[in-house]
Structures are given as C-alpha cells and as structure tokens.
C-alpha cells in the first residue's frame, strides 16, 4: 500500500515537472504573443497543482512509514501556495493580455514572415 | 530515492531557462513580462521542491512570499509600461 | 456573521504562516493584528456579498472538480500543440456575449475561460468578452455558453440585476 502511494506521488511530481517544462517550451515556440498566453495560463497551473499535490502526498507517506506525526503545517502551506498560484496565474495572464490588447499588439494570422516588432 | 525530486527540479529548471530565452528574445515588452511571470511561477515550485529535498520547511514561507510578490510585481511592471511613471 | 468568518479565516492564515500555537504573547499579538485587519476591512466597506460570497461557496466546491478536469484537458491540448509544428494552431479572436453582471461571477467566468482548452480571455467589456481562441473547436466550445450556465447557478439570484453601486468606496 505504502509503495503504491509513493509511486503515485513520484508519478505526480514527474508529470508536473513535464507539464511545467512543456509550458515553457510552448512559450518559446509559439509564433505570436497571444498564442504564447495559452501555455503560460494553463500548463503552468496544472504543473504546479501536480507538483504540490505530489509533495504533500510524499510528506504524508513518509511520516506514515516512520510512524511520526504528520507535518500538518507544511501541508497547509503547500495547499496555500497552490491555491494562491491557482488564482493569480490566470489573473496575471489576463492582465498582460489586456494591456497588450489596449496597446494594440497585432495578432498573428498564419503568415510565417511577419512577427510582432519591438516598439 | 531522492532522484525523482532531482529530476523534477531539473525539468522545472530547464523550463525556467526556456522562459528566460523568451524574455531575452522579446520581441515585444509584453512577451518579456509574460516570460518573467512564468519564470517567477517556476521559481515558486523550485523553492518548494528545494525545501523538501533539503528538509527545510522554512523554504515554504519564502515560496508563499515569492508567489505574492510575483503577482504584484507583474501588475506593477504592467502599470509602469502603461504610463512610463511609477507614481501618478 | 461575516465579521466573525473573516476573523477566523485571517486567524487561520496567521497560524498557518507563523506556526505559533503555545506562546501566549505571540498568539495574543496575532489575534490583535487579525482584529485590526478586520476593523480596517470594516472601514473600507469590504463586508458584503461581493467580497465575501459565502452563499456561493458550497456550489463552488461542486464547480471546482469540473474546473480541474477542464484544466487537465487544456494542459494536454496545449502540450501537444507546443511539441507539434506551427501549423497545429489557427489563432483567431472571438467575441463572446455574456449575460452575467455580478462582478465576482464575471471574474470567475473570465478565469475559467482562460483555464479551459484553447481559449484565453483578453478583454472584459460591459456585455461581452474578447476571447483569443487557438483552434476551430475551441471557438465553438466557448461560444455555446455551457460554462456561463455553470457559473450563473452559483450567483445569488437577487444580484443578477446589476453591479451594486452602493458598494463603491466614496472618499
């Protein structure tokens, strides 16, 4: 039972790391500003959710295996950070995109030659 | 059995590096702000992971603070880009 | 009622961050600072259903699993597209009409649209959102309005009429 839970926690963390990495890859590879918002908003949110839940599960599993008291404070802090990022990541994505839209950054429509230029 | 955390930390570090490349390349100011914001999110995750690896629960407090500062920093930077002034 | 709830939440957050449970002076200082924060919120007129939507909380807990499932789908989608070629995306702007007027529900809907597959909210206007969609399917998904129904049931019915002007802080 404990081994299964530990494998689950490891899998969650690795998957979260993979999602966080591919989110950054998407930001690097997408052709224009508005497309880059998509990986920044979603992949990062899932990545942090998976990594933090993996960490919390791991803390629980290890303290159960050692028959020590569960470190509730650390788990509470992990949940607090996760919730905080869950709310602020879409909000800051929206703030950036709105500012860019108001300033008039042009969207990319499929022409590979034209990219947005620096002001 | 610590290798899983190390691999995850390396993946997130690689992601932060990719975001940094986008922050240097641009091309618009907003691309850079977005990349810096993503970099900050990665930093928060990395801080929590490092705290777990090194068995220091104090790192989690820093992670909470960094998550707050990251959001406020993004908004402040956007306001600065909008008005070119820090104060009204 | 809301005052007590806010105080308890603040005290819980303080205890979580500080980890002090037994030293009487420190816990007392924490309680005093929480009371001060509650008083400031009272002076700022932040004690109403827009800033503390207690009534919507149980329905939000039912909404959360669906939202997380949507985030998983969205991340898989965006991951496939970031490892694929540039021809995998056809970006476009969509105007989505929105009937909700409650400020909190509008925020929640905009955030939910950002977190669901292939769409990002760019601008929030009075009666519509400007949404950037990556693909054709994403455009259809955001236009059919099923998410707005899910968000709308969480809002108290009396608040549908319009944003509460009396909550504006006047100096």
């Amino acid at each position: 039972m404990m081994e299964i839970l530990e494998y689950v926690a490891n899998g969650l963390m690795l998957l979260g790391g993979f999602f966080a990495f591919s989110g950054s890859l998407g930001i690097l590879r997408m052709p224009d500003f508005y497309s880059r918002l998509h990986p920044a908003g979603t992949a990062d949110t899932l990545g942090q959710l998976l990594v933090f839940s993996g960490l919390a599960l791991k803390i629980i599993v290890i303290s159960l295996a050692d028959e020590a008291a569960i470190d509730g404070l650390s788990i509470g802090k992990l949940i607090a950070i996760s919730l905080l990022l869950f709310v602020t990541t879409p909000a800051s994505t929206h703030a950036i995109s709105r500012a860019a839209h108001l300033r008039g950054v042009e969207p990319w429509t499929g022409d590979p030659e034209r990219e947005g230029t620096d002001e | 059995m610590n290798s899983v955390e190390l691999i995850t930390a390396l993946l997130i570090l690689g992601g932060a590096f990719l975001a940094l490349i986008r922050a240097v390349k641009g091309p618009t100011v907003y691309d850079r702000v977005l990349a810096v914001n993503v970099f900050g999110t990665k930093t928060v995750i990395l801080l929590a992971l490092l705290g777990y690896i090194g068995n220091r629960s104090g790192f989690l407090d820093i992670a909470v603070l960094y998550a707050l500062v990251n959001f406020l920093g993004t908004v402040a930077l956007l306001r600065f880009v909008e008005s070119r002034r820090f104060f009204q | 009622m809301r005052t007590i709830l806010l105080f308890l939440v603040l005290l819980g957050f303080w205890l979580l961050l500080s980890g002090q449970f037994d030293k009487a002076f420190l816990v007392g200082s924490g309680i005093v600072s929480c009371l001060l924060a509650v008083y400031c919120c009272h002076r700022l007129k932040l004690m109403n259903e827009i800033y503390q939507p207690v009534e919507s909380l149980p329905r939000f807990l039912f909404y959360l699993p669906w939202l997380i499932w949507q985030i998983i789908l969205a991340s898989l989608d965006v991951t496939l597209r970031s490892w694929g070629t540039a021809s995998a995306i056809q970006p476009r702007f969509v105007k989505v009409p929105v009937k909700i007027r409650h400020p909190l529900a509008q925020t929640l809907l905009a955030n939910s649209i950002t977190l669901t597959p292939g769409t990002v909210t760019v601008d929030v206007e009075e009666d519509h959102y400007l949404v950037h969609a990556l693909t054709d399917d994403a455009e259809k998904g955001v236009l059919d309005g099923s998410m707005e129904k899910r968000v709308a049931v969480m809002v108290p019915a009396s608040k549908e009429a319009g944003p509460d002007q009396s909550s504006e802080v006047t100096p």
Side-chain angles (χ1 to χ4, degrees), chain A residues 19 22 25-26 29 31 34 38-39 41-42 46 73 76-77 86 90 94 97-98 101 107-108, chain C residues 16 19 71-72 75 79 82-84 89 91 93 111 114-115 118-119 121-123 130 132 134:
Chain A
F19 273 119
S22 41
L25 189 74
R29 289 197 57 208
Y34 293 103
H38 295 253
T42 50
L46 185 64
L73 212 61
K77 275 177 197 164
F86 193 82
H94 172 66
S97 66
R98 185 178 147 84
H101 176 67
W108 178 80
Chain C
L16 184 69
I71 292 170
I72 293 172
S75 299
T79 305
S82 21
W83 289 90
I89 55 170
F93 276 113
N111 266 9
T114 301
L115 289 173
T119 48
T121 315
V122 174
D123 202 356
L130 192 64
H132 186 258
L134 265 191

mmCIF file of all heavy atoms in Angstrom, chain A residues 19 22 25-26 29 31 34 38-39 41-42 46 73 76-77 86 90 94 97-98 101 107-108, chain C residues 16 19 71-72 75 79 82-84 89 91 93 111 114-115 118-119 121-123 130 132 134:
data_model
loop_
_atom_site.group_PDB
_atom_site.id
_atom_site.type_symbol
_atom_site.label_atom_id
_atom_site.label_comp_id
_atom_site.label_asym_id
_atom_site.label_seq_id
_atom_site.Cartn_x
_atom_site.Cartn_y
_atom_site.Cartn_z
ATOM 1 N N PHE A 19 4.889 18.881 -17.379
ATOM 2 C CA PHE A 19 3.949 19.899 -17.853
ATOM 3 C C PHE A 19 4.548 21.290 -17.739
ATOM 4 O O PHE A 19 4.396 22.127 -18.639
ATOM 5 C CB PHE A 19 2.641 19.828 -17.072
ATOM 6 C CG PHE A 19 1.667 18.861 -17.654
ATOM 7 C CD1 PHE A 19 1.214 17.783 -16.931
ATOM 8 C CD2 PHE A 19 1.212 19.025 -18.943
ATOM 9 C CE1 PHE A 19 0.328 16.895 -17.476
ATOM 10 C CE2 PHE A 19 0.328 18.136 -19.500
ATOM 11 C CZ PHE A 19 -0.117 17.064 -18.754
ATOM 12 N N SER A 22 6.984 21.672 -20.616
ATOM 13 C CA SER A 22 6.410 21.853 -21.950
ATOM 14 C C SER A 22 5.643 23.163 -22.046
ATOM 15 O O SER A 22 5.527 23.728 -23.140
ATOM 16 C CB SER A 22 5.539 20.674 -22.348
ATOM 17 O OG SER A 22 4.773 20.234 -21.286
ATOM 18 N N LEU A 25 8.301 25.426 -23.084
ATOM 19 C CA LEU A 25 8.634 25.145 -24.476
ATOM 20 C C LEU A 25 7.609 25.798 -25.396
ATOM 21 O O LEU A 25 7.968 26.382 -26.430
ATOM 22 C CB LEU A 25 8.662 23.643 -24.700
ATOM 23 C CG LEU A 25 9.212 23.200 -26.045
ATOM 24 C CD1 LEU A 25 10.714 23.365 -26.049
ATOM 25 C CD2 LEU A 25 8.839 21.778 -26.342
ATOM 26 N N GLY A 26 6.319 25.729 -24.990
ATOM 27 C CA GLY A 26 5.280 26.362 -25.792
ATOM 28 C C GLY A 26 5.488 27.869 -25.866
ATOM 29 O O GLY A 26 5.341 28.465 -26.932
ATOM 30 N N ARG A 29 8.149 28.477 -28.406
ATOM 31 C CA ARG A 29 7.970 28.075 -29.797
ATOM 32 C C ARG A 29 6.761 28.703 -30.479
ATOM 33 O O ARG A 29 6.699 28.719 -31.707
ATOM 34 C CB ARG A 29 7.823 26.549 -29.863
ATOM 35 C CG ARG A 29 9.117 25.824 -29.581
ATOM 36 C CD ARG A 29 9.029 24.407 -30.046
ATOM 37 N NE ARG A 29 8.699 24.316 -31.469
ATOM 38 C CZ ARG A 29 8.052 23.304 -32.020
ATOM 39 N NH1 ARG A 29 7.668 22.301 -31.277
ATOM 40 N NH2 ARG A 29 7.790 23.282 -33.308
ATOM 41 N N PRO A 31 4.122 31.136 -32.264
ATOM 42 C CA PRO A 31 4.513 32.180 -33.217
ATOM 43 C C PRO A 31 4.209 33.604 -32.792
ATOM 44 O O PRO A 31 4.909 34.520 -33.219
ATOM 45 C CB PRO A 31 3.712 31.824 -34.476
ATOM 46 C CG PRO A 31 2.550 31.068 -33.966
ATOM 47 C CD PRO A 31 3.034 30.309 -32.787
ATOM 48 N N TYR A 34 -0.224 36.384 -28.553
ATOM 49 C CA TYR A 34 -1.477 35.876 -27.992
ATOM 50 C C TYR A 34 -1.466 34.361 -27.869
ATOM 51 O O TYR A 34 -2.082 33.798 -26.973
ATOM 52 C CB TYR A 34 -2.660 36.347 -28.836
ATOM 53 C CG TYR A 34 -2.853 37.830 -28.755
ATOM 54 C CD1 TYR A 34 -2.449 38.663 -29.783
ATOM 55 C CD2 TYR A 34 -3.395 38.404 -27.627
ATOM 56 C CE1 TYR A 34 -2.610 40.034 -29.700
ATOM 57 C CE2 TYR A 34 -3.549 39.762 -27.525
ATOM 58 C CZ TYR A 34 -3.161 40.570 -28.566
ATOM 59 O OH TYR A 34 -3.302 41.915 -28.456
ATOM 60 N N HIS A 38 -1.468 31.001 -24.031
ATOM 61 C CA HIS A 38 -2.133 29.728 -23.725
ATOM 62 C C HIS A 38 -1.274 28.806 -22.875
ATOM 63 O O HIS A 38 -1.733 28.355 -21.820
ATOM 64 C CB HIS A 38 -2.570 29.051 -25.020
ATOM 65 C CG HIS A 38 -3.613 29.816 -25.756
ATOM 66 N ND1 HIS A 38 -4.914 29.431 -25.814
ATOM 67 C CD2 HIS A 38 -3.542 30.954 -26.448
ATOM 68 C CE1 HIS A 38 -5.600 30.305 -26.515
ATOM 69 N NE2 HIS A 38 -4.788 31.238 -26.924
ATOM 70 N N PRO A 39 -0.025 28.489 -23.285
ATOM 71 C CA PRO A 39 0.788 27.647 -22.395
ATOM 72 C C PRO A 39 1.072 28.302 -21.053
ATOM 73 O O PRO A 39 1.094 27.616 -20.019
ATOM 74 C CB PRO A 39 2.073 27.417 -23.187
ATOM 75 C CG PRO A 39 2.026 28.279 -24.338
ATOM 76 C CD PRO A 39 0.650 28.724 -24.561
ATOM 77 N N GLY A 41 -0.880 30.235 -19.314
ATOM 78 C CA GLY A 41 -2.027 30.208 -18.420
ATOM 79 C C GLY A 41 -2.374 28.818 -17.924
ATOM 80 O O GLY A 41 -2.717 28.643 -16.759
ATOM 81 N N THR A 42 -2.302 27.812 -18.799
ATOM 82 C CA THR A 42 -2.841 26.505 -18.432
ATOM 83 C C THR A 42 -1.783 25.513 -17.978
ATOM 84 O O THR A 42 -1.932 24.882 -16.939
ATOM 85 C CB THR A 42 -3.614 25.919 -19.607
ATOM 86 O OG1 THR A 42 -2.804 25.992 -20.770
ATOM 87 C CG2 THR A 42 -4.877 26.657 -19.834
ATOM 88 N N LEU A 46 -1.538 23.558 -14.195
ATOM 89 C CA LEU A 46 -1.591 22.114 -13.942
ATOM 90 C C LEU A 46 -0.258 21.623 -13.382
ATOM 91 O O LEU A 46 -0.238 20.781 -12.475
ATOM 92 C CB LEU A 46 -1.927 21.369 -15.230
ATOM 93 C CG LEU A 46 -2.117 19.883 -15.018
ATOM 94 C CD1 LEU A 46 -3.297 19.638 -14.119
ATOM 95 C CD2 LEU A 46 -2.290 19.147 -16.309
ATOM 96 N N LEU A 73 1.502 21.534 9.218
ATOM 97 C CA LEU A 73 1.805 22.919 8.879
ATOM 98 C C LEU A 73 2.361 23.015 7.464
ATOM 99 O O LEU A 73 1.949 23.867 6.672
ATOM 100 C CB LEU A 73 2.810 23.462 9.890
ATOM 101 C CG LEU A 73 2.702 24.943 10.212
ATOM 102 C CD1 LEU A 73 1.346 25.242 10.799
ATOM 103 C CD2 LEU A 73 3.801 25.329 11.157
ATOM 104 N N GLY A 76 -0.390 22.353 4.969
ATOM 105 C CA GLY A 76 -1.234 23.535 4.856
ATOM 106 C C GLY A 76 -0.590 24.622 4.026
ATOM 107 O O GLY A 76 -1.236 25.255 3.193
ATOM 108 N N LYS A 77 0.719 24.830 4.218
ATOM 109 C CA LYS A 77 1.415 25.848 3.423
ATOM 110 C C LYS A 77 1.438 25.466 1.958
ATOM 111 O O LYS A 77 1.259 26.317 1.082
ATOM 112 C CB LYS A 77 2.834 26.013 3.944
ATOM 113 C CG LYS A 77 2.919 26.977 5.100
ATOM 114 C CD LYS A 77 4.326 27.052 5.619
ATOM 115 C CE LYS A 77 4.342 27.672 6.984
ATOM 116 N NZ LYS A 77 5.602 27.422 7.677
ATOM 117 N N PHE A 86 -3.090 29.217 -8.161
ATOM 118 C CA PHE A 86 -4.282 28.866 -8.927
ATOM 119 C C PHE A 86 -5.103 30.105 -9.256
ATOM 120 O O PHE A 86 -5.709 30.199 -10.322
ATOM 121 C CB PHE A 86 -5.108 27.882 -8.098
ATOM 122 C CG PHE A 86 -6.198 27.201 -8.843
ATOM 123 C CD1 PHE A 86 -5.926 26.096 -9.613
ATOM 124 C CD2 PHE A 86 -7.492 27.661 -8.761
ATOM 125 C CE1 PHE A 86 -6.929 25.468 -10.300
ATOM 126 C CE2 PHE A 86 -8.502 27.024 -9.452
ATOM 127 C CZ PHE A 86 -8.214 25.923 -10.220
ATOM 128 N N PRO A 90 -3.967 32.803 -13.792
ATOM 129 C CA PRO A 90 -4.863 33.309 -14.830
ATOM 130 C C PRO A 90 -5.059 34.813 -14.739
ATOM 131 O O PRO A 90 -5.176 35.488 -15.763
ATOM 132 C CB PRO A 90 -6.184 32.584 -14.569
ATOM 133 C CG PRO A 90 -5.849 31.456 -13.716
ATOM 134 C CD PRO A 90 -4.669 31.853 -12.927
ATOM 135 N N HIS A 94 -4.301 37.362 -17.737
ATOM 136 C CA HIS A 94 -5.327 38.262 -18.256
ATOM 137 C C HIS A 94 -4.853 39.716 -18.225
ATOM 138 O O HIS A 94 -5.088 40.469 -19.172
ATOM 139 C CB HIS A 94 -6.600 38.103 -17.435
ATOM 140 C CG HIS A 94 -7.637 39.107 -17.762
ATOM 141 N ND1 HIS A 94 -8.259 39.134 -18.982
ATOM 142 C CD2 HIS A 94 -8.128 40.132 -17.067
ATOM 143 C CE1 HIS A 94 -9.102 40.140 -19.001
ATOM 144 N NE2 HIS A 94 -9.050 40.759 -17.844
ATOM 145 N N SER A 97 -2.439 40.245 -21.108
ATOM 146 C CA SER A 97 -3.058 40.222 -22.437
ATOM 147 C C SER A 97 -3.905 41.471 -22.657
ATOM 148 O O SER A 97 -3.920 42.031 -23.755
ATOM 149 C CB SER A 97 -3.911 38.972 -22.590
ATOM 150 O OG SER A 97 -4.999 39.022 -21.712
ATOM 151 N N ARG A 98 -4.569 41.929 -21.590
ATOM 152 C CA ARG A 98 -5.404 43.128 -21.737
ATOM 153 C C ARG A 98 -4.534 44.350 -22.023
ATOM 154 O O ARG A 98 -4.862 45.172 -22.897
ATOM 155 C CB ARG A 98 -6.206 43.334 -20.461
ATOM 156 C CG ARG A 98 -7.179 44.470 -20.529
ATOM 157 C CD ARG A 98 -7.944 44.553 -19.227
ATOM 158 N NE ARG A 98 -8.252 45.928 -18.934
ATOM 159 C CZ ARG A 98 -9.308 46.563 -19.446
ATOM 160 N NH1 ARG A 98 -10.108 45.927 -20.259
ATOM 161 N NH2 ARG A 98 -9.548 47.812 -19.144
ATOM 162 N N HIS A 101 -3.445 44.179 -25.536
ATOM 163 C CA HIS A 101 -4.540 44.452 -26.468
ATOM 164 C C HIS A 101 -4.839 45.945 -26.528
ATOM 165 O O HIS A 101 -5.060 46.510 -27.596
ATOM 166 C CB HIS A 101 -5.775 43.669 -26.029
ATOM 167 C CG HIS A 101 -6.974 43.946 -26.868
ATOM 168 N ND1 HIS A 101 -7.046 43.565 -28.186
ATOM 169 C CD2 HIS A 101 -8.138 44.574 -26.598
ATOM 170 C CE1 HIS A 101 -8.199 43.946 -28.679
ATOM 171 N NE2 HIS A 101 -8.872 44.554 -27.740
ATOM 172 N N PRO A 107 -2.277 40.485 -33.669
ATOM 173 C CA PRO A 107 -2.269 39.017 -33.639
ATOM 174 C C PRO A 107 -1.694 38.447 -34.926
ATOM 175 O O PRO A 107 -1.771 39.062 -35.991
ATOM 176 C CB PRO A 107 -3.743 38.666 -33.480
ATOM 177 C CG PRO A 107 -4.472 39.813 -34.058
ATOM 178 C CD PRO A 107 -3.633 41.029 -33.815
ATOM 179 N N TRP A 108 -1.145 37.246 -34.795
ATOM 180 C CA TRP A 108 -0.572 36.528 -35.927
ATOM 181 C C TRP A 108 -1.673 35.721 -36.583
ATOM 182 O O TRP A 108 -2.465 35.059 -35.925
ATOM 183 C CB TRP A 108 0.529 35.612 -35.407
ATOM 184 C CG TRP A 108 1.224 34.757 -36.404
ATOM 185 C CD1 TRP A 108 2.226 35.130 -37.253
ATOM 186 C CD2 TRP A 108 1.035 33.360 -36.630
ATOM 187 N NE1 TRP A 108 2.648 34.059 -37.979
ATOM 188 C CE2 TRP A 108 1.936 32.972 -37.628
ATOM 189 C CE3 TRP A 108 0.169 32.408 -36.085
ATOM 190 C CZ2 TRP A 108 2.011 31.666 -38.093
ATOM 191 C CZ3 TRP A 108 0.236 31.106 -36.549
ATOM 192 C CH2 TRP A 108 1.156 30.746 -37.542
ATOM 193 N N LEU C 16 -1.199 29.485 10.215
ATOM 194 C CA LEU C 16 -0.539 28.655 9.206
ATOM 195 C C LEU C 16 0.846 29.198 8.898
ATOM 196 O O LEU C 16 1.823 28.457 8.806
ATOM 197 C CB LEU C 16 -1.401 28.634 7.948
ATOM 198 C CG LEU C 16 -0.912 27.752 6.819
ATOM 199 C CD1 LEU C 16 -1.039 26.319 7.241
ATOM 200 C CD2 LEU C 16 -1.718 28.010 5.575
ATOM 201 N N GLY C 19 2.993 29.321 12.647
ATOM 202 C CA GLY C 19 3.235 28.055 13.315
ATOM 203 C C GLY C 19 3.367 28.188 14.823
ATOM 204 O O GLY C 19 3.901 27.309 15.476
ATOM 205 N N ILE C 71 -8.923 21.884 -16.716
ATOM 206 C CA ILE C 71 -7.534 22.331 -16.767
ATOM 207 C C ILE C 71 -6.639 21.206 -17.256
ATOM 208 O O ILE C 71 -5.710 21.423 -18.047
ATOM 209 C CB ILE C 71 -7.076 22.818 -15.379
ATOM 210 C CG1 ILE C 71 -7.807 24.092 -15.005
ATOM 211 C CG2 ILE C 71 -5.598 23.075 -15.365
ATOM 212 C CD1 ILE C 71 -7.588 24.486 -13.590
ATOM 213 N N ILE C 72 -6.941 19.955 -16.815
ATOM 214 C CA ILE C 72 -6.131 18.826 -17.273
ATOM 215 C C ILE C 72 -6.256 18.674 -18.780
ATOM 216 O O ILE C 72 -5.252 18.532 -19.502
ATOM 217 C CB ILE C 72 -6.565 17.544 -16.535
ATOM 218 C CG1 ILE C 72 -6.227 17.652 -15.055
ATOM 219 C CG2 ILE C 72 -5.898 16.328 -17.130
ATOM 220 C CD1 ILE C 72 -6.771 16.538 -14.226
ATOM 221 N N SER C 75 -4.336 21.462 -20.513
ATOM 222 C CA SER C 75 -2.880 21.334 -20.495
ATOM 223 C C SER C 75 -2.422 20.264 -21.469
ATOM 224 O O SER C 75 -1.410 20.450 -22.162
ATOM 225 C CB SER C 75 -2.409 20.999 -19.096
ATOM 226 O OG SER C 75 -2.783 22.023 -18.232
ATOM 227 N N THR C 79 -0.008 21.147 -24.447
ATOM 228 C CA THR C 79 1.276 20.447 -24.514
ATOM 229 C C THR C 79 1.480 19.815 -25.878
ATOM 230 O O THR C 79 2.560 19.933 -26.473
ATOM 231 C CB THR C 79 1.318 19.357 -23.432
ATOM 232 O OG1 THR C 79 1.062 19.954 -22.183
ATOM 233 C CG2 THR C 79 2.653 18.681 -23.408
ATOM 234 N N SER C 82 2.378 22.515 -28.209
ATOM 235 C CA SER C 82 3.716 23.123 -28.110
ATOM 236 C C SER C 82 4.803 22.174 -28.602
ATOM 237 O O SER C 82 5.845 22.640 -29.050
ATOM 238 C CB SER C 82 4.018 23.613 -26.699
ATOM 239 O OG SER C 82 3.245 23.024 -25.747
ATOM 240 N N TRP C 83 4.571 20.842 -28.551
ATOM 241 C CA TRP C 83 5.581 19.940 -29.105
ATOM 242 C C TRP C 83 5.382 19.751 -30.605
ATOM 243 O O TRP C 83 6.286 19.291 -31.296
ATOM 244 C CB TRP C 83 5.535 18.579 -28.411
ATOM 245 C CG TRP C 83 6.043 18.607 -27.009
ATOM 246 C CD1 TRP C 83 5.320 18.832 -25.890
ATOM 247 C CD2 TRP C 83 7.392 18.443 -26.568
ATOM 248 N NE1 TRP C 83 6.111 18.815 -24.783
ATOM 249 C CE2 TRP C 83 7.391 18.566 -25.167
ATOM 250 C CE3 TRP C 83 8.607 18.201 -27.223
ATOM 251 C CZ2 TRP C 83 8.557 18.456 -24.405
ATOM 252 C CZ3 TRP C 83 9.755 18.083 -26.463
ATOM 253 C CH2 TRP C 83 9.732 18.219 -25.068
ATOM 254 N N GLY C 84 4.185 20.086 -31.127
ATOM 255 C CA GLY C 84 3.915 19.896 -32.539
ATOM 256 C C GLY C 84 4.458 21.021 -33.392
ATOM 257 O O GLY C 84 5.248 21.846 -32.942
ATOM 258 N N ILE C 89 -1.908 25.246 -35.047
ATOM 259 C CA ILE C 89 -2.787 26.255 -34.464
ATOM 260 C C ILE C 89 -3.296 27.192 -35.548
ATOM 261 O O ILE C 89 -2.606 27.480 -36.527
ATOM 262 C CB ILE C 89 -2.078 27.074 -33.374
ATOM 263 C CG1 ILE C 89 -0.796 27.701 -33.924
ATOM 264 C CG2 ILE C 89 -1.761 26.212 -32.175
ATOM 265 C CD1 ILE C 89 -0.174 28.689 -33.012
ATOM 266 N N PRO C 91 -4.884 30.647 -34.828
ATOM 267 C CA PRO C 91 -5.391 31.595 -33.831
ATOM 268 C C PRO C 91 -6.370 32.596 -34.422
ATOM 269 O O PRO C 91 -6.266 32.993 -35.576
ATOM 270 C CB PRO C 91 -4.134 32.296 -33.335
ATOM 271 C CG PRO C 91 -3.111 32.056 -34.360
ATOM 272 C CD PRO C 91 -3.457 30.827 -35.081
ATOM 273 N N PHE C 93 -9.592 35.804 -32.978
ATOM 274 C CA PHE C 93 -10.313 36.467 -31.892
ATOM 275 C C PHE C 93 -11.802 36.165 -31.998
ATOM 276 O O PHE C 93 -12.348 36.122 -33.096
ATOM 277 C CB PHE C 93 -10.105 37.976 -31.948
ATOM 278 C CG PHE C 93 -8.847 38.424 -31.284
ATOM 279 C CD1 PHE C 93 -7.815 38.968 -32.014
ATOM 280 C CD2 PHE C 93 -8.695 38.289 -29.923
ATOM 281 C CE1 PHE C 93 -6.654 39.375 -31.396
ATOM 282 C CE2 PHE C 93 -7.543 38.696 -29.298
ATOM 283 C CZ PHE C 93 -6.518 39.246 -30.038
ATOM 284 N N ASN C 111 -11.720 33.875 -15.628
ATOM 285 C CA ASN C 111 -10.637 32.975 -15.232
ATOM 286 C C ASN C 111 -10.875 31.567 -15.756
ATOM 287 O O ASN C 111 -9.950 30.897 -16.203
ATOM 288 C CB ASN C 111 -10.528 32.943 -13.709
ATOM 289 C CG ASN C 111 -9.522 33.935 -13.201
ATOM 290 O OD1 ASN C 111 -9.036 34.754 -13.965
ATOM 291 N ND2 ASN C 111 -9.199 33.855 -11.943
ATOM 292 N N THR C 114 -10.044 31.304 -19.360
ATOM 293 C CA THR C 114 -8.601 31.229 -19.546
ATOM 294 C C THR C 114 -8.071 29.827 -19.285
ATOM 295 O O THR C 114 -7.168 29.351 -19.974
ATOM 296 C CB THR C 114 -7.903 32.224 -18.616
ATOM 297 O OG1 THR C 114 -8.368 33.524 -18.923
ATOM 298 C CG2 THR C 114 -6.408 32.173 -18.785
ATOM 299 N N LEU C 115 -8.675 29.138 -18.295
ATOM 300 C CA LEU C 115 -8.130 27.847 -17.897
ATOM 301 C C LEU C 115 -8.646 26.681 -18.726
ATOM 302 O O LEU C 115 -8.144 25.585 -18.597
ATOM 303 C CB LEU C 115 -8.462 27.587 -16.424
ATOM 304 C CG LEU C 115 -7.699 28.450 -15.443
ATOM 305 C CD1 LEU C 115 -8.216 28.248 -14.047
ATOM 306 C CD2 LEU C 115 -6.237 28.112 -15.492
ATOM 307 N N GLY C 118 -7.658 25.819 -25.058
ATOM 308 C CA GLY C 118 -7.525 26.606 -26.282
ATOM 309 C C GLY C 118 -8.078 28.003 -26.258
ATOM 310 O O GLY C 118 -8.152 28.641 -27.298
ATOM 311 N N THR C 119 -8.490 28.530 -25.092
ATOM 312 C CA THR C 119 -9.051 29.881 -25.082
ATOM 313 C C THR C 119 -8.423 30.712 -23.969
ATOM 314 O O THR C 119 -8.105 30.190 -22.899
ATOM 315 C CB THR C 119 -10.576 29.852 -24.850
ATOM 316 O OG1 THR C 119 -10.841 28.997 -23.752
ATOM 317 C CG2 THR C 119 -11.288 29.343 -26.062
ATOM 318 N N THR C 121 -9.053 34.692 -22.151
ATOM 319 C CA THR C 121 -9.799 35.944 -22.131
ATOM 320 C C THR C 121 -8.831 37.107 -22.263
ATOM 321 O O THR C 121 -7.885 37.217 -21.490
ATOM 322 C CB THR C 121 -10.579 36.089 -20.821
ATOM 323 O OG1 THR C 121 -11.204 34.859 -20.531
ATOM 324 C CG2 THR C 121 -11.601 37.165 -20.936
ATOM 325 N N VAL C 122 -9.068 37.971 -23.257
ATOM 326 C CA VAL C 122 -8.169 39.107 -23.464
ATOM 327 C C VAL C 122 -8.759 40.377 -22.874
ATOM 328 O O VAL C 122 -8.075 41.135 -22.205
ATOM 329 C CB VAL C 122 -7.883 39.294 -24.971
ATOM 330 C CG1 VAL C 122 -7.083 40.553 -25.211
ATOM 331 C CG2 VAL C 122 -7.119 38.101 -25.505
ATOM 332 N N ASP C 123 -10.050 40.624 -23.100
ATOM 333 C CA ASP C 123 -10.625 41.877 -22.629
ATOM 334 C C ASP C 123 -12.042 41.630 -22.114
ATOM 335 O O ASP C 123 -12.785 40.844 -22.691
ATOM 336 C CB ASP C 123 -10.666 42.904 -23.771
ATOM 337 C CG ASP C 123 -10.727 44.316 -23.239
ATOM 338 O OD1 ASP C 123 -10.804 44.470 -22.009
ATOM 339 O OD2 ASP C 123 -10.695 45.259 -24.043
ATOM 340 N N LEU C 130 -13.755 39.561 -25.014
ATOM 341 C CA LEU C 130 -12.939 39.306 -26.193
ATOM 342 C C LEU C 130 -12.053 38.109 -25.849
ATOM 343 O O LEU C 130 -11.267 38.158 -24.910
ATOM 344 C CB LEU C 130 -12.096 40.536 -26.526
ATOM 345 C CG LEU C 130 -11.434 40.502 -27.882
ATOM 346 C CD1 LEU C 130 -12.489 40.483 -28.967
ATOM 347 C CD2 LEU C 130 -10.549 41.699 -28.056
ATOM 348 N N HIS C 132 -9.388 35.029 -27.103
ATOM 349 C CA HIS C 132 -8.469 34.544 -28.135
ATOM 350 C C HIS C 132 -8.529 33.036 -28.152
ATOM 351 O O HIS C 132 -8.259 32.392 -27.144
ATOM 352 C CB HIS C 132 -7.046 35.011 -27.829
ATOM 353 C CG HIS C 132 -6.075 34.670 -28.906
ATOM 354 N ND1 HIS C 132 -5.207 33.622 -28.800
ATOM 355 C CD2 HIS C 132 -5.861 35.227 -30.113
ATOM 356 C CE1 HIS C 132 -4.476 33.563 -29.899
ATOM 357 N NE2 HIS C 132 -4.857 34.519 -30.713
ATOM 358 N N LEU C 134 -7.428 29.298 -29.943
ATOM 359 C CA LEU C 134 -6.331 28.721 -30.733
ATOM 360 C C LEU C 134 -6.844 27.975 -31.955
ATOM 361 O O LEU C 134 -6.214 27.989 -32.998
ATOM 362 C CB LEU C 134 -5.509 27.764 -29.861
ATOM 363 C CG LEU C 134 -4.259 28.298 -29.190
ATOM 364 C CD1 LEU C 134 -3.469 27.159 -28.605
ATOM 365 C CD2 LEU C 134 -3.391 29.058 -30.159
#
